[in-house]
């Protein structure tokens, strides 16, 4: 399993928050889809208390507020700069942020309780103990409330994992469903793969850097390493438009029993 340096993850996401929405094309689509999935399963598309984990630049916040009428919205992110961005997004979509909890979501001591919805977009793949998190959050969600999140599966960025020997240890969709245990009923579970094209391997690396998802890569990209990587990438993963990068998205919506 990859060792995740949470401090490094925080610094790299913090640096890229302003540009995240521009470059995180897959994550934008994932946020919009997750918001629709949630809205379709909330009575009247309304929720009194909502807590968003890993709010980042507010992609999912905006999608939620466009699809769900929320009375009290709470948010969390590991990057301190997220607070101002999410507050601004909420105001622009006719809502307000009731509270912001800064820090590693796995270490939160007093998350909001009595939640109608606990939601997270493309964040839980960074968690070291996802089963433990899912179990603990059952205490924050009221019976009948929803736990909904998107994540990534084992095929995600497989090109980088193969050539650079770096990547997260992703859970399968089936494994995550098993983590729900007796506390939740799985209402929706789906996975999908998409492939992005880039002009060259350097553009792939810039894309990964600009979306902050290089939080476990600690080695320096020397000229020799970059040349070897580029040559192998062209050889193994060329496309008609240059080279390809795979995204493997997962979606889960569960109801608290």
């Amino acid at each position: 399993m990859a060792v995740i340096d949470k401090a490094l993850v925080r610094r790299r996401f913090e640096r890229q928050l302003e540009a995240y929405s521009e470059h995180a094309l897959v994550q934008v689509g994932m946020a919009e889809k997750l918001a629709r999935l949630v809205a379709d399963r909330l009575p009247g598309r309304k929720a009194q208390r909502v807590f968003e984990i890993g709010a980042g630049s507010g992609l999912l916040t905006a999608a939620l507020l466009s699809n769900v009428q929320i009375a009290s919205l709470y948010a969390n992110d590991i990057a301190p700069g997220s607070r101002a961005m999410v507050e601004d997004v909420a105001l622009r979509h006719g809502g307000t942020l009731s509270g912001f909890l800064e820090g590693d979501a796995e270490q939160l001591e007093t998350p909001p309780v009595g939640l109608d919805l606990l939601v997270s977009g493309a964040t839980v793949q960074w968690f070291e103990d996802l089963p433990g998190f899912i179990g603990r959050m059952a205490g924050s969600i009221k019976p009948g409330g929803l736990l909904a999140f998107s994540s990534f599966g084992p095929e995600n960025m497989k090109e980088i994992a193969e050539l650079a020997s770096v990547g997260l240890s992703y859970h399968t969709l089936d494994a995550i469903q098993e983590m729900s245990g007796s506390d939740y009923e799985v209402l929706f579970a789906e996975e999908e793969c998409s492939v992005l094209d880039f002009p060259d391997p350097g553009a792939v690396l810039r894309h990964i850097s600009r979306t902050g998802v290089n939080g476990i890569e600690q080695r320096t990209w020397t000229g020799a390493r970059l040349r070897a990587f580029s040559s192998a990438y062209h050889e193994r993963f060329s496309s008609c438009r240059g080279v390809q990068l795979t995204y493997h998205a997962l979606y889960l919506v569960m109801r608290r029993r």
Side-chain angles (χ1 to χ4, degrees):
M1 180 176 180
V3 177
I4 301 175
D5 182 341
K6 294 291 184 74
L8 179 62
V9 172
R10 184 186 68 248
R11 290 196 302 272
R12 289 184 172 171
F13 272 108
E14 180 79 14
R15 286 201 302 265
Q16 302 301 333
L17 275 176
E18 292 289 343
Y20 185 82
S21 299
E22 178 183 353
H23 298 284
L25 304 178
V26 170
Q27 290 87 341
V28 169
M30 290 172 67
E32 293 172 350
K33 177 170 180 173
L34 183 60
R36 292 193 299 270
L37 291 172
V38 166
D40 288 345
R41 288 159 180 83
L42 284 171
R45 293 178 169 245
K46 297 179 181 179
Q48 281 294 117
R49 291 172 62 82
V50 175
F51 183 32
E52 180 184 352
I53 294 287
S57 63
L59 283 181
L60 180 56
T61 313
L64 283 171
L65 289 169
S66 295
N67 287 272
V68 178
Q69 184 178 331
I70 300 173
S72 298
L73 173 64
Y74 300 85
N76 149 269
D77 200 82
I78 197 171
S82 171
R83 179 196 294 263
M85 298 188 73
V86 174
E87 287 178 341
D88 180 64
V89 167
L91 287 173
R92 286 191 282 110
H93 286 79
T96 58
L97 190 62
S98 300
F100 186 91
L101 285 72
E102 179 187 322
D104 180 357
E106 290 193 274
Q107 304 301 322
L108 293 179
E109 295 182 0
T110 55
V113 297
L115 299 172
D116 298 283
L117 170 65
L118 192 154
V119 64
S120 182
T123 296
V124 301
Q125 68 273 7
W126 295 102
F127 287 5
E128 296 172 340
D129 181 14
L130 183 55
F133 176 80
I134 290 174
R136 287 193 304 277
M137 289 303 100
S140 292
I141 304 169
K142 70 182 187 181
L146 301 182
L147 170 61
F149 57 87
S150 61
S151 187
F152 293 104
E155 294 297 300
N156 198 59
M157 295 191 182
K158 61 183 181 180
E159 299 86 352
I160 304 298
E162 182 174 330
L163 297 182
S165 300
V166 61
L168 295 172
S169 297
Y170 297 104
H171 297 289
T172 66
L173 186 66
D174 287 342
I176 297 177
Q177 291 185 77
E178 291 177 4
M179 295 174 195
S180 65
S182 60
D183 290 322
Y184 302 91
E185 173 192 3
V186 177
L187 302 180
F188 183 89
E190 185 176 88
E191 58 189 317
E192 58 189 16
C193 281
S194 58
V195 176
L196 299 186
D197 290 302
F198 295 88
D200 54 64
V204 173
L205 294 179
R206 289 191 294 275
H207 164 77
I208 292 172
S209 175
R210 288 166 180 167
T211 52
V213 297
N214 56 336
I216 57 173
E217 174 60 281
Q218 301 187 38
R219 291 182 297 165
T220 301
W221 280 94
T222 63
R225 184 186 177 204
L226 181 58
R227 286 191 295 273
F229 172 84
S230 297
S231 176
Y233 209 114
H234 274 297
E235 181 180 343
R236 300 291 298 277
F237 304 114
S238 289
S239 69
C240 60
R241 298 181 180 179
V243 294
Q244 67 180 39
L245 178 67
T246 301
Y247 276 92
H248 182 188
L250 310 180
Y251 303 89
L252 278 296
V253 181
M254 310 175 190
R255 177 182 290 128
R256 175 77 166 87
R257 295 186 189 277

